[in-house]
Amino acid sequence: MKIDLTVDGMAVTAEVDPGETLLPFLRRLGAASVKNGCDNGDCGACAVLVDGRAVNACLFFAAKAAGSEITTAEALAGADGLHPLQTASLDLGAVQCGFCTPGILMTALDLLAYNPDPTEEEVRHWLAANYCRCTGWVKPVEAVLAAASMLREQEAS
Ligand code: FES
Ligand code: FES
């Protein structure tokens, strides 16, 4: 079947198999940031936004995304440069192998849309389903808190 949807701001019409999830579908479209860590809903590496909310792409049927707006980490950087979540992650050393990073960034983006001033505990709770085997979690949490602060400053100026 064919579906129409928006991926990172671009209108897309594409063929999907009935059982295909968003993970292979988006990678087929070229979104290499959508990572397959487990293909089972356990690691969060594949997280993308569907109509603004973070979902694990490996659990979400592509056919169900018809008419939706999908945002992947590929769309985070804009004409003004990197998104504050990306800048803070790089500046604070929150990226090591980077495999988990796109999923963490998209999950954090959902958090900051919902709660622009989260506590450390709220960030840790929100990211509890995103696994990172490298960083020990201190730096990614610090990066989300720093990005939240940068975004609030941008909003206020
Ligand atoms: S690949 Fe989707 S949650 Fe792990
Ligand atoms: S930076 Fe390697 S898994 Fe998170």
Side-chain angles (χ1 to χ4, degrees):
M1 65 182 286
K2 270 198 174 159
I3 61 168
D4 297 315
L5 71 170
T6 304
V7 179
D8 294 337
M10 306 240 300
V12 171
T13 301
E15 196 73 40
V16 294
D17 294 330
E20 187 177 19
T21 66
L22 270 183
L23 172 51
F25 175 75
L26 291 170
R27 289 188 63 87
R28 193 151 57 76
L29 292 182
S33 69
V34 187
K35 302 298 188 199
N36 186 349
C38 68
D39 208 16
N40 198 37
D42 290 327
C43 73
C46 64
V48 298
L49 301 188
V50 177
D51 295 327
R53 301 314 308 262
V55 303
N56 285 331
C58 67
L59 294 183
F60 197 97
F61 285 122
K64 203 174 149 203
S68 293
E69 210 168 299
I70 311 297
T71 309
T72 75
E74 330 266 323
L76 274 179
D80 296 339
L82 294 179
H83 187 279
L85 279 166
Q86 294 171 306
T87 304
S89 295
L90 292 172
D91 289 352
L92 295 172
V95 181
Q96 289 187 22
C97 81
F99 197 83
C100 67
T101 306
I104 289 175
L105 296 182
M106 300 318 287
T107 307
L109 193 63
D110 185 12
L111 165 64
L112 298 184
Y114 166 79
N115 178 1
D117 192 7
T119 63
E120 178 182 336
E121 192 183 358
E122 286 167 336
V123 172
R124 287 181 179 276
H125 178 75
W126 201 271
L127 297 179
N130 291 79
Y131 290 1
C132 174
R133 295 172 68 91
C134 305
T135 63
W137 269 110
V138 172
K139 290 176 184 300
V141 171
E142 285 176 357
V144 174
L145 291 167
S149 172
M150 289 161 73
L151 286 163
R152 289 196 304 277
E153 278 171 27
Q154 280 179 8
E155 191 70 26
S157 63

